[in-house]
């Protein structure tokens, strides 16, 4: 990972958001729609989103009535999120923080009801960093809290192609992706109740992903 520093990835995301505002569109991801239903069923009120980007899913959660804390390491993405929230009149239900998830989460223990991460865990993070992040997610979740995350996996068409950085990380078009094995998913569920691992596809390639739901 020495040749894939976080700063270079941050710069690449900033450049991409600046060049393509709302680059993922304004509609929520299918994973977020699913997560909102699960979170509501669990009685969740406070949702933490990791890797919120320009905020299509954070905006959706806030619109559904959740209090949302959105984290991302892109200032430009978070600025677009705040502007969209203000324009929609839901900014009072939204907090944003610039944060690199390789560092401990900037929240107290047991302070949120649910955590959502759409393709954040499969960014340029080592296996060790992913485990540390999931440990942090468990720390900030209240007992019984729900964690929903999605990741590209080793069945994806891009796995094994592009620039190899080791640890199942491959770079395409400047974006580095850590492709998950099922063993990694199972390992991350140690100490949790694993509710579901759901396979689905998204985008034009299409990207092949798992949607993982687990309870603290």
């Amino acid at each position: 990972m020495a040749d894939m520093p976080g700063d270079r990835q941050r710069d690449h995301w900033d450049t991409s958001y600046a060049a393509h505002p709302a680059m993922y569109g304004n509609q929520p991801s299918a994973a977020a729609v699913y997560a909102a239903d699960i979170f509501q069923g669990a009685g969740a009120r406070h949702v933490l989103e990791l890797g919120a980007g320009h905020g299509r899913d954070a905006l959706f959660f806030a619109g559904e009535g959740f209090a949302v804390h959105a984290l991302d390491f892109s200032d430009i993405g978070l600025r677009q999120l705040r502007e969209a929230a203000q324009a929609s009149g839901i900014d009072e239900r939204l907090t944003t923080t610039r944060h690199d998830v390789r560092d401990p989460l900037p929240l107290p223990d047991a302070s949120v009801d649910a955590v959502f991460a759409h393709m954040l865990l499969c960014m340029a993070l080592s296996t060790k960093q992913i485990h540390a992040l999931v440990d942090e997610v468990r720390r900030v979740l209240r007992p019984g809290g729900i964690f929903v995350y999605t990741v590209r996996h080793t069945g994806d068409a891009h796995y094994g192609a592009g620039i190899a950085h080791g640890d199942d990380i491959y770079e395409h078009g400047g974006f580095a992706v850590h492709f998950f094995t099922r063993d990694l998913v199972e390992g991350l569920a140690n100490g949790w109740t694993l509710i579901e691992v759901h396979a689905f596809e998204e985008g034009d390639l299409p990207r092949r992903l798992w949607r993982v739901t687990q309870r603290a």
Side-chain angles (χ1 to χ4, degrees), residues 83-106:
E83 290 171 351
Q86 188 171 20
S88 299
I90 55 175
D91 49 307
E92 290 186 356
R93 292 198 293 274
L94 182 72
T95 301
T96 65
T97 301
R98 179 183 175 182
H99 180 75
D100 189 325
V101 294
R102 293 174 299 177
D103 299 324
L105 295 176

Side-chain angles (χ1 to χ4, degrees), residues 173-194:
F175 294 104
V177 176
H178 188 141
F179 293 90
F180 272 46
T181 64
R182 184 59 185 251
D183 284 346
L184 179 52
V185 171
E186 297 288 346
L188 294 173
N190 285 339
W192 298 72
T193 298
L194 182 58

Side-chain angles (χ1 to χ4, degrees), residues 29-32 34 116-122 147-156 159 168 177-188 194 196-202 206-214:
S29 67
Y34 161 85
F116 178 74
H118 185 32
M119 289 199 287
L120 182 280
L121 270 67
C122 62
F147 181 29
V148 174
Y149 71 88
T150 66
V151 289
R152 294 173 74 176
H153 58 72
T154 53
D156 188 275
Y159 176 65
D168 284 328
V177 176
H178 188 141
F179 293 90
F180 272 46
T181 64
R182 184 59 185 251
D183 284 346
L184 179 52
V185 171
E186 297 288 346
L188 294 173
L194 182 58
E196 181 187 50
V197 180
H198 172 73
F200 71 105
E201 296 182 347
E202 181 180 86
R207 295 182 292 268
R208 294 177 179 170
L209 300 101
W210 285 322
R211 186 192 69 213
V212 182
T213 307
Q214 54 193 56

Side-chain angles (χ1 to χ4, degrees), residues 81-145:
L81 167 52
R82 289 191 297 271
E83 290 171 351
Q86 188 171 20
S88 299
I90 55 175
D91 49 307
E92 290 186 356
R93 292 198 293 274
L94 182 72
T95 301
T96 65
T97 301
R98 179 183 175 182
H99 180 75
D100 189 325
V101 294
R102 293 174 299 177
D103 299 324
L105 295 176
L107 288 88
D109 295 357
S111 57
V112 298
D113 303 315
V115 178
F116 178 74
H118 185 32
M119 289 199 287
L120 182 280
L121 270 67
C122 62
M123 295 293 99
L125 301 169
S126 69
T127 297
K128 182 178 179 180
Q129 289 168 337
I130 293 167
H131 274 276
L133 174 56
V134 172
D135 286 344
E136 277 292 287
V137 169
R138 182 165 51 187
R139 178 184 67 79
V140 303
L141 271 174
R142 297 188 176 102

